[in-house]
Amino acid sequence: MGVYGLLSHCLQHRNQCVEYVDLVEVAASKADGIEILCDFYCLEHMLVESFWRSLWLLSQNSCVEILGGEYSSLGEYVSKLICDLQSLKIRLVMYVDGAKGTIVHGLHQKWDTWENRHHRDLAKMRERLNVVRTGHGLREPFTDNFRPVLLEVQLMETLKQCGCEVVHCVSFEADLVLAKNLASRPNAFAILSNDSDFCVFDDSRFIPFDLFDIKGNLGLGTNQRLPTKPSSLEVGMITSKKVWAFMGLQNQDEMIEFSILRGNDFTSSFMRQLKHKVGLGKGSQLVDAVDWIRKHRALNNNCTFADEMVRDRELKEAVDYSRKFYRLEIAVGDVAHSDYLTNFIADGVARGEIPSNILAMNLGMYWHRMLIEEEGRQFPIAEVALMPLRSFIYRMILPEGKNAVKEYGRMSSERDFECYTVLAAKQRFIPRVDRIAKDKIFANLGTFDKIMSHQEQETCV
């Protein structure tokens, strides 16, 4: 996530890029304490990894993460951590990315990144299936974890119970909103994330996972069931100004140009093909890209790159979007869609009442969830088997004039990634979601029964 290889480079040169602070001490010195702004999905990865590590050490079962179903234990684990930090005046504020297909800017530029992640997730799933079949083969039981089906549901419920503030980024990248909120929230101290994009934003401060709780006072991932309330919590904080100075770049503009050249979430797919044309060989390192920027100062100053931007409209869009993204020139706020139903759903997502992928469906896109399931011609892919059921959802949420959603994902064990158009159901009894009266419980249960039993032969609808 972020600029290719940049976070690793910063961690290898901690003396130049990192400053160390005790969060407990800092929070105690401020009347209202401090806020740590968290990328929800990044934090989820960190917490679940440490939870499974602890569970494995306690149980001595190397396959514990594959078994699944530890939701209650996970909820208790996360709740203990958050409540302990709150008692020390350290509040975690969660920022949740919208589902694929909901962002209003940069959708096309992110496409290759999403597809590459899909193939990586598929490889992880097959690795775990091999463990189930053979009993061996998993590299480590607590790294590169695979999300249980209800993981986000469990964590969201835990966060609500703990009184955590949750910001749902309905139509924008979470890291864009995080960067803006770091500057605008009076008590915001730093961002907790592994995204190296925060090295590029101006006046940014972020704590990568490797530098969170350096002395292990929380006991995350150790042989104990729950985290420990710390008397001190030392972290390493990477600041963007330190990174720029260490790399010898004069200002943010040069850092942005470096991020584009090295490859970020928007430009990586282009730069893999383009870097040799602009003088960066196949095995070029991060420092080579830094030297290139020091020489040319701006991408457009290189004739080859300038010509490519004229020739390739999509490359130019990715470059222009990257520059606006890192300069925080993209307005963040409520997006007024042209359709009332879309606005109704978007408002529900912002309140945390409607899943974000429902809005993506309303806008015409659904990416299949990667699930651990057996592969074989005799077995249907779960997400494919659920297409008829989703067609009823599509009828409930699609605006007037739209009758289909494009679905992306694995269609069979032989077809790893495809696009498939699913038509909305035609049954007349299906209500639009904005017209469902919540107090009509029995009528709603009747509709629910008809939808869930639609494949039964004796059902007449």
Side-chain angles (χ1 to χ4, degrees), residues 330-344:
I330 298 171
V332 171
D334 295 333
V335 175
H337 296 278
S338 59
D339 184 79
Y340 169 80
L341 182 58
T342 304
N343 285 314
F344 175 87

Side-chain angles (χ1 to χ4, degrees), residues 141-193:
F142 41 73
T143 61
D144 205 20
N145 52 65
F146 207 85
R147 296 183 300 166
V149 178
L150 298 177
L151 177 60
E152 285 78 20
V153 175
Q154 174 60 62
L155 287 181
M156 280 298 173
E157 288 302 312
T158 300
L159 295 176
K160 290 178 183 177
Q161 292 174 10
C162 294
C164 269
E165 180 180 353
V166 179
V167 179
H168 293 272
C169 305
V170 179
S171 302
F172 300 93
E173 296 274 348
D175 43 3
L176 177 65
V177 183
L178 280 162
K180 290 199 172 213
N181 278 220
L182 181 63
S184 63
R185 294 180 70 111
N187 298 317
F189 181 72
I191 294 167
L192 181 60
S193 174

Side-chain angles (χ1 to χ4, degrees), residues 112-350:
D112 286 327
T113 299
W114 292 341
E115 189 171 343
N116 289 335
R117 287 176 186 168
H118 167 83
H119 288 293
R120 289 199 300 270
D121 286 343
L122 186 56
K124 286 193 295 182
M125 185 206 76
R126 286 170 175 161
E127 179 187 20
R128 280 147 179 77
L129 283 177
N130 184 63
V131 175
V132 174
R133 295 189 192 105
T134 65
H136 59 80
L138 194 63
R139 292 187 299 273
E140 282 191 77
F142 41 73
T143 61
D144 205 20
N145 52 65
F146 207 85
R147 296 183 300 166
V149 178
L150 298 177
L151 177 60
E152 285 78 20
V153 175
Q154 174 60 62
L155 287 181
M156 280 298 173
E157 288 302 312
T158 300
L159 295 176
K160 290 178 183 177
Q161 292 174 10
C162 294
C164 269
E165 180 180 353
V166 179
V167 179
H168 293 272
C169 305
V170 179
S171 302
F172 300 93
E173 296 274 348
D175 43 3
L176 177 65
V177 183
L178 280 162
K180 290 199 172 213
N181 278 220
L182 181 63
S184 63
R185 294 180 70 111
N187 298 317
F189 181 72
I191 294 167
L192 181 60
S193 174
N194 255 14
D195 195 327
S196 58
D197 280 334
F198 295 112
C199 294
V200 187
F201 293 115
D202 195 14
D203 288 325
S204 181
R205 305 178 300 279
F206 79 104
I207 304 165
F209 300 154
D210 284 354
L211 301 180
F212 182 75
D213 189 21
I214 294 171
K215 296 182 177 178
N217 291 335
L218 288 168
L220 299 178
T222 61
N223 189 9
Q224 59 185 61
R225 193 172 67 88
L226 297 173
T228 302
K229 182 176 179 177
S231 57
S232 66
L233 182 56
E234 187 172 344
V235 302
M237 190 166 59
I238 296 177
T239 62
S240 54
K241 290 290 197 325
K242 276 181 170 286
V243 174
W244 306 351
F246 168 62
M247 295 172 66
L249 301 177
Q250 296 181 356
N251 49 45
Q252 188 195 22
D253 287 343
E254 290 187 4
M255 187 65 187
I256 292 173
E257 300 296 271
F258 160 79
S259 75
I260 295 169
L261 181 69
R262 181 62 178 166
N264 57 36
D265 287 346
F266 314 109
T267 64
S268 289
S269 60
F270 299 101
M271 294 315 304
R272 281 193 291 269
Q273 307 297 325
L274 185 58
K275 62 182 181 180
H276 71 280
K277 293 184 179 180
V278 298
L280 292 173
K282 184 177 181 181
S284 61
Q285 302 299 310
L286 182 143
V287 292
D288 298 318
V290 173
D291 290 340
W292 194 99
I293 294 297
R294 286 174 179 166
K295 176 181 177 181
H296 297 281
R297 296 302 175 188
L299 298 171
N300 301 62
N301 291 338
N302 178 274
C303 295
T304 302
F305 201 102
D307 291 343
E308 286 292 328
M309 292 209 355
V310 172
R311 185 186 64 81
D312 190 336
R313 179 180 57 84
E314 292 182 354
L315 170 63
K316 184 179 186 305
E317 289 176 355
V319 171
D320 290 343
Y321 182 79
S322 294
R323 289 168 175 164
K324 291 180 181 178
F325 177 79
Y326 290 122
R327 291 171 185 152
L328 301 181
E329 294 175 353
I330 298 171
V332 171
D334 295 333
V335 175
H337 296 278
S338 59
D339 184 79
Y340 169 80
L341 182 58
T342 304
N343 285 314
F344 175 87
I345 294 172
D347 290 343
V349 174

Side-chain angles (χ1 to χ4, degrees), residues 396 429-431 442-452:
M396 297 173 72
F429 72 85
I430 307 172
F442 291 105
N444 294 338
L445 285 174
T447 301
F448 177 78
D449 176 66
K450 289 180 180 179
I451 292 174
M452 296 305 296

Side-chain angles (χ1 to χ4, degrees), residues 34-104:
I34 60 174
E35 293 176 340
I36 303 298
L37 312 185
C38 306
D39 182 323
F40 171 78
Y41 289 107
C42 288
L43 182 67
E44 170 192 86
H45 181 89
M46 183 187 81
L47 292 180
V48 171
E49 181 177 300
S50 66
F51 167 73
W52 271 324
R53 182 190 292 262
S54 293
L55 206 58
W56 171 71
L57 291 171
L58 287 167
S59 66
Q60 291 300 302
N61 183 348
S62 62
C63 296
V64 67
E65 70 167 271
I66 296 179
L67 299 177
E70 299 84 12
Y71 297 115
S72 177
S73 300
L74 175 61
E76 188 179 2
Y77 187 90
V78 174
S79 179
K80 176 68 162 58
L81 171 65
I82 291 176
C83 292
D84 283 346
L85 292 178
Q86 288 174 341
S87 70
L88 297 168
K89 300 202 297 185
I90 302 171
R91 296 181 300 280
L92 303 184
V93 183
M94 304 295 165
Y95 289 76
V96 186
D97 254 326
K100 297 179 181 69
T102 59
I103 60 174
V104 295

